[in-house]
Amino acid sequence: MKASTISQKMKPILLLLALYFCCQYGANAQFTGGSGRGDALAGTDTVTQDGRPLTFWTGSTSSNWTTATNWSNSRIARTGDMVILQANASNNPVLDSNRRLLSIDFNGSGKKIELLNYNLTLTGGILQANTSNYVKTAGTGVLKMAGIGTNQSFTFPVGNTAYNPVTITNKTGTTDSFSVRILDEVYYQGTTGLAASEPRVKRTWLIDKTSPTANAGDGVDFVFGWNAGEATTGLNTPKLYHYNGTTWDKQTIGTTTSTATSLTYTGYKGSFSPFAIGDDVVLLPITWLSFRCEALQNQTTLLQWKTASETNTRAFFVERSNNGSDYTGIGEVPAAGYSQSPRSYSFSDPEPNAGKTLYRVRMEDMDGHIAYSEVCSSNANQAATAAPLKVYPNPTRGGLYMVALEPERNFVWEVYTPAGKQVASGLSKDGLAEANMHHLSEGVYIMRVTGSGLAENHRIIINR
């Protein structure tokens, strides 16, 4: 914005802003930490009444960043600008692409800068951030602070549905850039999968740095913040957890202190992203990988689930519902107990509810802790005409199946591995066959039944 384009009405405002920033931060508008407002680290651009750094968001038309009428004097913020949200701004500014700014002043506007799936990089700092004024990370976009020097701190005023800031102090001995975004839950697979059921703060901080392996010196200090009501029952002694790509690891090398709504961890020297807050005495007993339901030809519903790891697990209890609120137990499957490699489980429901049926699996460990799978559904219709061929029980615990064809007709049964190798076969008598597969190992097989105009494939499971 050139001086010649500034209206007579705007000149006094700009002069006052220039005087304010010069008096508050010095001639070079350098930001320093310690104010508690997230205004850490330095930006060196000179604040002038007609200089590039000053741009004013009004949001008078919409939330669109590139709509000129959303900016005072139609000057859209550019790379390296200082963006000031007017106190009476009408709409939240929403990013439409990756942006790089000097700094942001929320100015008591009560607004949030929404990133969506775009990144916002700052080289200076943020002023006047709080529970009503923060950077909203509801998508994949991150807030990045470029160049946090040794022993410098920066408070990332971020949140999704609420304000959940994290202060990072870089003590690695090397200037580095950090980025943060927030998820409103803790997931067994880090950022995906099922939500954890253990005592926790229902937030995940995804923190990354430009040189993630260069975490030398005294490492990095964190201060995580949350709000009352975001911690679940049982979170008595909060501890920092880090997802290592497979499981959540409790951090014990550094020093931990906590309050009812914050946790400080000093001297973190591990890898980065994601981080969560869980209870000290709780080790996540299970990491779920998948859970699926499949309606088979004989109206049986096959349930299959897989775990990535298990600690002290005792059993899985299969539950069924027709309304999503009231669940009834229909079976039990023993758990592995301890496993650091993927484990597969299955269970067949021979009598699903008429119409849509909902299923979930409840895991119980040796200490009584409980973890639920996600919910899956099947549309097997019990009211449909019963299939003439029945294979039961499925799964079997020993390898003995009964195969019945109604009305009574003779048939041939053959069992194949998923790779297509035949491993068992036999003939029926009076429409009934006893399929003995005790010699087969635990796993999933395909049973093919042919004869009397019939040709059907059934998936069968042998458990040991």
Side-chain angles (χ1 to χ4, degrees):
M1 186 188 302
K2 295 182 179 179
S4 59
T5 65
I6 301 175
S7 67
Q8 294 299 315
K9 185 177 180 179
M10 286 296 296
K11 281 184 178 180
I13 297 175
L14 292 173
L15 286 170
L16 286 173
L17 284 168
L19 179 61
Y20 167 75
F21 283 108
C22 286
C23 294
Q24 185 78 7
Y25 308 113
N28 290 326
Q30 186 161 351
F31 296 88
T32 57
S35 68
R37 296 174 300 183
D39 53 353
L41 296 185
T44 57
D45 287 1
T46 300
V47 176
T48 61
Q49 77 174 69
D50 61 346
R52 182 189 60 177
L54 286 175
T55 49
F56 302 87
W57 170 265
T58 65
S60 56
T61 302
S62 66
S63 293
N64 194 323
W65 189 277
T66 55
T67 298
T69 52
N70 284 325
W71 299 88
S72 179
N73 280 11
S74 298
R75 187 192 186 284
I76 301 172
R78 307 168 190 174
T79 298
D81 280 7
M82 173 186 289
V83 172
I84 303 171
L85 279 64
Q86 286 193 348
N88 60 349
S90 300
N91 295 288
N92 292 338
V94 178
L95 262 63
D96 61 333
S97 63
N98 294 337
R99 298 285 175 178
R100 186 180 180 91
L101 303 173
L102 169 63
S103 55
I104 295 168
D105 186 350
F106 281 100
N107 193 31
S109 62
K111 293 294 179 288
K112 303 168 185 63
I113 297 179
E114 300 184 28
L115 302 187
L116 299 182
N117 296 327
Y118 302 105
N119 300 335
L120 174 60
T121 301
L122 301 177
T123 57
I126 294 182
L127 298 173
Q128 302 190 63
N130 52 42
T131 56
S132 301
N133 303 266
Y134 62 87
V135 178
K136 185 174 182 177
T137 63
T140 59
V142 301
L143 175 62
K144 183 176 183 178
M145 183 62 202
I148 300 180
T150 299
N151 294 322
Q152 288 187 315
S153 301
F154 182 76
T155 297
F156 289 78
V158 291
N160 192 343
T161 58
Y163 182 53
N164 296 117
V166 56
T167 299
I168 297 176
T169 302
N170 180 14
K171 300 190 301 184
T172 64
T174 304
T175 297
D176 212 334
S177 299
F178 293 77
S179 63
V180 180
R181 70 182 177 99
I182 304 292
L183 301 180
D184 278 354
E185 189 46 283
V186 180
Y187 298 95
Y188 284 120
Q189 292 176 255
T191 60
T192 60
L194 305 176
S197 59
E198 291 72 26
R200 68 202 182 279
V201 175
K202 299 174 70 174
R203 296 292 185 267
T204 298
W205 287 263
L206 283 79
I207 303 174
D208 285 299
K209 61 197 288 283
T210 301
S211 302
T213 58
N215 194 10
D218 292 327
V220 175
D221 294 348
F222 298 117
V223 181
F224 299 91
W226 60 90
N227 303 285
E230 293 170 2
T232 64
T233 301
L235 185 66
N236 300 315
T237 308
K239 294 292 183 180
L240 178 64
Y241 284 78
H242 172 253
Y243 188 73
N244 64 14
T246 303
T247 60
W248 285 96
D249 288 335
K250 182 169 63 177
Q251 302 303 299
T252 59
I253 296 176
T255 301
T256 301
T257 57
S258 63
T259 69
T261 55
S262 71
L263 180 142
T264 300
Y265 189 90
T266 302
Y268 179 76
K269 296 184 179 180
S271 58
F272 282 78
S273 196
F275 295 92
I277 310 298
D279 195 67
D280 183 27
V281 298
V282 172
L283 294 176
L284 301 183
I286 186 171
T287 301
W288 300 92
L289 280 179
S290 62
F291 179 44
R292 62 189 297 268
C293 307
E294 179 183 1
L296 302 181
Q297 292 177 340
N298 60 358
Q299 301 305 305
T300 296
T301 298
L302 174 63
L303 311 178
Q304 295 176 301
W305 62 96
K306 182 179 289 188
T307 64
S309 64
E310 298 179 37
T311 302
N312 206 33
T313 54
R314 183 176 71 84
F316 297 97
F317 297 89
V318 181
E319 300 178 345
R320 182 176 64 196
S321 173
N322 60 4
N323 59 16
S325 299
D326 303 312
Y327 281 86
T328 302
I330 59 173
E332 177 181 347
V333 177
Y338 293 89
S339 176
Q340 292 302 313
S341 59
R343 300 276 301 190
S344 297
Y345 299 88
S346 60
F347 179 87
S348 289
D349 180 8
E351 298 179 351
N353 298 326
K356 185 177 181 179
T357 305
L358 303 176
Y359 297 92
R360 70 184 184 186
V361 174
R362 184 183 81 250
M363 188 287 305
E364 290 188 7
D365 71 5
M366 300 296 184
D367 300 319
H369 295 123
I370 294 175
Y372 285 96
S373 73
E374 61 184 343
V375 175
C376 71
S377 63
S378 170
N379 287 313
N381 194 339
Q382 193 175 19
T385 301
L389 182 70
K390 295 182 178 180
V391 181
Y392 59 93
N394 192 19
T396 178
R397 295 235 9 117
L400 182 64
Y401 281 92
M402 299 304 294
V403 186
L405 185 61
E406 299 175 355
E408 296 178 356
R409 290 173 287 169
N410 290 327
F411 57 87
V412 176
W413 62 269
E414 300 168 321
V415 177
Y416 297 85
T417 67
K421 179 182 178 181
Q422 183 176 321
V423 291
S425 62
L427 298 174
S428 68
K429 181 180 180 180
D430 299 327
L432 184 66
E434 186 177 275
N436 191 335
M437 288 168 279
H438 287 96
H439 63 290
L440 299 180
S441 59
E442 181 180 80
V444 179
Y445 298 87
I446 304 298
M447 175 180 282
R448 181 167 178 78
V449 180
T450 57
S452 301
L454 182 72
E456 288 189 9
N457 293 332
H458 287 253
R459 184 181 310 196
I460 61 175
I461 301 97
I462 298 177
N463 288 334
R464 298 298 182 190

